[in-house]
Amino acid sequence: MNKRTILNLVLLVGIAALALLAWYKPGIKKPPAQPPLTSLKAADIRSIEIERHGTDTVKLERENARWQMLAPRQMAADEYLINPLLKSLSDPTISHFAADAAQLGQYGLADPQVRLRLNNTEIDFGNTEPLQGHRYVKVGDTVYLTDGSLFYRLSHDALWWVDKALLPANARITALQLPNATLTLKNGKWQLAPANPDISADSIQKLVDAWHNARAQDVVAPEQGKSAGEVAIELAGKSAPVRFEILKNPDFLVLVRPDLNLEYRLEQDEGKALLHLETAARKTTSGHNGKKEMPDARTAGSRNHTPGH
């Protein structure tokens, strides 16, 4: 083994030793983990209130393992937002110190920007500290510094917490009226009107399943827009259909539920899956004169049919 090889091996051993020292830091004690904002467990929280300046107070309550909004609306709440919120409460904070009533104003906690109430525990959110941008949060007699993610989640308006599913949980569609077609469940099979042999039973079921599973990206108060049709959905056990008005929009599929005074916004691709039945490519046939002929449009049903209400 020559001197150059030996030197390279010594250098590699040295680099490895330095890397181990940097990783394990012998002799340097790690600081103790900081406590979370509250010792409350997510499973034990039954009610949530969110108070913000100039906006409606949001009241949420767990009912039979599901979350409901009690104010400012009475309707299902978005568990996809609530459950991560509750789980984040167990995250460690950055630091903490005893609260001094005389100094709360300098932290923005004398009149907090947001107040979160979990059962009977109040959590107040104040200003950010200037160096790292961490948020001052007061719980009881303690002020904590946090990373601000919880504050961001609480800063949305009230409708942010509304369930974004288009249909109620466990709903079962029995009839579906689209702008250009009507689907009706009869004897366990879907009937399409107008009839179209290019549309398979699988295509129909795929569209129905899309409605069962559809969730909006956002729910807002309805805005003015030009109507592009209507969707009416009959559900098992319900006397009145669920109705959506389709509004023309270049960026989203916009569906308005007039009875709830809510507007649901979905991606355009998801809109296609909800409003359009996929057709299978059909083979051409040869006529008696040897020329290829397409199937008679009359056998596929008129595309201009408008379902009745």
Side-chain angles (χ1 to χ4, degrees):
M1 186 179 295
N2 58 42
K3 291 183 179 180
R4 183 183 296 276
T5 302
I6 294 173
L7 179 60
N8 288 337
L9 288 174
V10 171
L11 289 173
L12 286 174
V13 170
I15 292 171
L18 290 173
L20 289 172
L21 286 171
W23 179 263
Y24 290 104
K25 297 179 181 178
I28 300 177
K29 292 183 179 180
K30 291 184 178 181
Q34 293 293 317
L37 288 175
T38 174
S39 59
L40 282 172
K41 303 299 182 184
D44 297 329
I45 297 173
R46 312 300 302 178
S47 64
I48 301 171
E49 289 189 22
I50 305 169
E51 298 177 2
R52 295 172 53 230
H53 288 305
T55 63
D56 295 324
T57 296
V58 176
K59 294 184 179 181
L60 309 169
E61 186 173 288
R62 196 196 301 263
E63 296 180 2
N64 300 323
R66 300 193 68 89
W67 283 95
Q68 300 290 321
M69 176 183 281
L70 303 183
R73 305 283 190 99
Q74 293 188 0
M75 58 194 313
D78 193 339
E79 300 188 10
Y80 288 88
L81 297 177
I82 296 172
N83 291 333
L85 167 72
L86 298 182
K87 289 180 180 178
S88 71
L89 296 172
S90 61
D91 294 342
T93 54
I94 296 168
S95 63
H96 66 284
F97 54 89
D100 183 342
Q103 296 181 341
L104 291 181
Q106 74 182 63
Y107 304 125
L109 291 167
D111 184 21
Q113 298 180 40
V114 175
R115 172 167 289 165
L116 172 65
R117 188 175 290 107
L118 306 170
N119 296 345
N120 295 318
T121 299
E122 289 188 355
I123 303 177
D124 293 341
F125 293 79
N127 299 333
T128 57
E129 56 87 20
L131 295 178
Q132 301 292 330
H134 297 144
R135 179 77 53 179
Y136 291 109
V137 183
K138 177 179 172 294
V139 185
D141 296 327
T142 303
V143 175
Y144 298 86
L145 275 174
T146 70
D147 64 6
S149 59
L150 181 57
F151 176 83
Y152 173 77
R153 290 179 176 179
L154 300 173
S155 298
H156 294 280
D157 63 25
L159 293 183
W160 173 255
W161 301 97
V162 170
D163 187 8
K164 293 170 183 61
L166 297 188
L167 297 178
N170 302 318
R172 187 170 68 87
I173 298 174
T174 58
L176 178 58
Q177 179 182 298
L178 303 173
N180 295 309
T182 299
L183 305 175
T184 307
L185 187 62
K186 292 182 179 179
N187 299 322
K189 294 183 179 180
W190 287 102
Q191 307 294 320
L192 173 63
N196 188 341
D198 290 344
I199 296 175
S200 67
D202 287 343
S203 177
I204 294 173
Q205 189 61 56
K206 184 177 179 180
L207 184 140
V208 173
D209 290 343
W211 277 97
H212 278 131
N213 300 323
R215 292 182 57 82
Q217 278 195 332
D218 201 6
V219 178
V220 298
E223 298 179 359
Q224 295 294 327
K226 188 174 181 180
S227 178
E230 183 186 75
V231 175
I233 306 173
E234 295 182 15
L235 303 177
K238 302 294 182 180
S239 57
V242 176
R243 296 187 180 276
F244 293 95
E245 183 182 5
I246 306 168
L247 297 186
K248 289 186 177 181
N249 187 292
D251 302 315
F252 300 97
L253 169 64
V254 177
L255 300 173
V256 175
R257 272 196 65 170
D259 59 324
L260 299 180
N261 195 33
L262 291 177
E263 178 179 301
Y264 297 80
R265 295 179 179 177
L266 299 89
E267 289 285 356
Q268 286 286 11
D269 287 344
E270 190 168 6
K272 293 178 182 178
L274 295 175
L275 299 179
H276 301 286
L277 288 158
E278 293 181 358
T279 57
R282 301 196 68 199
K283 296 181 179 179
T284 58
T285 59
S286 296
H288 66 277
N289 57 2
K291 294 182 179 180
K292 292 183 177 180
E293 297 177 350
M294 296 303 294
D296 192 330
R298 290 171 295 180
T299 65
S302 172
R303 290 291 186 177
N304 297 323
H305 173 80
T306 303
H309 294 272

